[in-house]
Amino acid sequence: GYNALCTANLPSPSIADPTAHFNANLWTGTGGARSLTGLGFQPDFTWIKSRSNTYQHMLFDSVRGATKYLVSDATDAQATDATQLTAFDSDGFSLGSGTVVNGTGATFVGWNWKAGGAAVSNTDGSITSSVSVNTTAGFSVVKYSGVDTPATNTVGHGLSVAPELYIIKSIDAVSPQGWVVNTTVIDDTVDYMFLNTTDAAANQGSPWSTAPTASVFTLGANDGNTCNDGVDYVAYCFHSVDGYSKVGSFKGQGNADGPFIYTGFRPAWVFIKKSSASGDDWYQFDNKRETYNPVDQRLALNGTQAQGSGNPIDFLSNGIKIRDSATSFNGSNTTMIYMAFAESPFKTSNAR
């Protein structure tokens, strides 16, 4: 009754084709209106960064509306610009003439996630939210308004499993400190970091440190970063899905033969951030900018710098291998957090 020890006998993944839920694309700017196709789905969250220029990151989602953007490297409020991303299309998205997403001769990358299309009202929490959710892929886009009372508030996220990482940003006001990244993968409570800084993780205390449930995440009241009275916020919520996505943490070793991080799939997109000390960027790697190992073309999610190289990692058939002693993601006995999305589940993937 035993099976041979081989990938063919692994359980079938719930998501056979990860590119139906996450995909990246590359393009060179033309300076003119255009449509980019080939994603395989209509995205609900698109994150664009110039590879060649020091333009800001631009983040768009279908809940706020296509022409409205936020920048991950600053605390700025949402802005509207009909020359940047102009529409989410059935197989991609459309761009205008805006320099930051389509400047002539500049090179760009877009990272795209599928949620659930048009948002629906969610009353699971004490604060009613608008949610576009993809429960299969463990991802939702949530919009809500902050309140001044009571001291503890909850927001429905639409997922069927508690999120392990959720990013909150004010929409119509400048955040005091910016993009709050809450995660449960460091210890048994909720720790937070700021996506727009190089700060280490910290624990904000109750009620913010209350672990999210399968229906809600918890906030305080009158906190400018996440729940200021009358201010609108957007949250991007993620949990791991076997064979498709992984949110986790690992310890660095301080040498070039670094740790192997098992994800259960060949990665398409990864970020790694040191959480136990400050001073290092949110480094991001993907399979479109680097099609073979080692993967060393990186972007900083918290900065405007162009694509850089060095500090290589490998994308393996079932995870990530660190190939550099850089303190930014492999310092001796240093804790890192990461999030990864799949190109192919382990059962059907090959080494690169």
Side-chain angles (χ1 to χ4, degrees):
Y2 293 98
N3 289 324
L5 185 62
C6 60
T7 55
N9 286 328
L10 291 173
S12 295
S14 59
I15 298 176
D17 180 11
T19 63
H21 301 272
F22 169 82
N23 209 347
N25 56 345
L26 306 177
W27 67 94
T28 299
T30 63
R34 61 196 296 199
S35 294
L36 298 176
T37 60
L39 287 184
F41 59 88
Q42 179 169 317
D44 292 291
F45 178 33
T46 293
W47 184 328
I48 297 174
K49 176 67 178 83
S50 172
R51 304 162 59 199
S52 56
N53 295 67
T54 56
Y55 301 150
Q56 289 187 294
H57 294 258
M58 301 194 82
L59 284 72
F60 306 85
D61 65 70
S62 61
V63 176
R64 292 182 295 116
T67 60
K68 298 176 174 62
Y69 69 88
L70 291 161
V71 292
S72 66
D73 49 87
T75 63
D76 299 3
Q78 172 182 276
T80 301
D81 188 342
T83 70
Q84 306 295 342
L85 189 145
T86 59
F88 294 106
D89 304 326
S90 61
D91 190 30
F93 51 86
S94 295
L95 302 175
S97 59
T99 300
V100 185
V101 300
N102 195 24
T104 303
T107 57
F108 298 89
V109 59
W111 306 308
N112 305 273
W113 288 262
K114 179 182 179 181
V120 298
S121 179
N122 183 297
T123 57
D124 290 342
S126 61
I127 296 174
T128 298
S129 56
S130 295
V131 178
S132 176
V133 61
N134 182 345
T135 54
T136 300
F139 170 61
S140 66
V141 181
V142 180
K143 183 181 176 183
Y144 66 93
S145 293
V147 298
D148 57 354
T149 56
T152 300
N153 297 279
T154 56
V155 178
H157 51 66
L159 299 169
S160 57
V161 176
E164 296 162 289
L165 186 143
Y166 47 107
I167 306 169
I168 301 174
K169 175 67 176 70
S170 66
I171 296 173
D172 50 13
V174 176
S175 296
Q177 293 176 284
W179 294 78
V180 184
V181 181
N182 298 284
T183 183
T184 59
V185 300
I186 299 174
D187 53 39
D188 293 332
T189 186
V190 178
D191 296 282
Y192 75 94
M193 305 168 75
F194 290 104
L195 180 62
N196 54 293
T197 77
T198 62
D199 294 352
N203 189 301
Q204 192 171 3
S206 181
W208 290 268
S209 59
T210 303
T213 71
S215 58
V216 300
F217 56 83
T218 300
L219 305 171
N222 253 352
D223 165 57
N225 286 306
T226 61
C227 199
N228 207 33
D229 187 39
V231 174
D232 289 338
Y233 295 85
V234 65
Y236 304 111
C237 304
F238 304 88
H239 68 74
S240 301
V241 175
D242 286 348
Y244 168 74
S245 64
K246 181 67 176 176
V247 184
S249 64
F250 66 93
K251 288 282 189 179
Q253 297 176 349
N255 59 68
D257 186 17
F260 165 71
I261 302 107
Y262 177 80
T263 61
F265 52 81
R266 184 171 66 197
W269 187 96
V270 174
F271 86 65
I272 300 173
K273 171 68 173 76
K274 182 192 293 183
S275 62
S276 56
S278 62
D280 291 291
D281 292 324
W282 297 74
Y283 284 125
Q284 183 279 333
F285 308 84
D286 63 65
N287 66 339
K288 294 297 173 70
R289 293 180 296 126
E290 195 80 275
T291 58
Y292 54 87
N293 289 327
V295 179
D296 69 349
Q297 298 295 318
R298 65 178 188 268
L299 286 163
L301 301 181
N302 56 294
T304 62
Q305 55 264 48
Q307 178 174 287
S309 61
N311 311 127
I313 65 176
D314 283 348
F315 284 180
L316 306 178
S317 63
N318 59 351
I320 306 157
K321 172 70 175 178
I322 307 299
R323 295 292 188 186
D324 192 89
S325 60
T327 58
S328 54
F329 53 79
N330 190 23
S332 178
N333 204 37
T334 300
T335 301
M336 265 66 62
I337 66 167
Y338 71 93
M339 184 162 66
F341 295 90
E343 175 183 351
S344 178
F346 184 28
K347 182 179 176 74
T348 55
S349 65
N350 297 315
R352 302 211 316 166

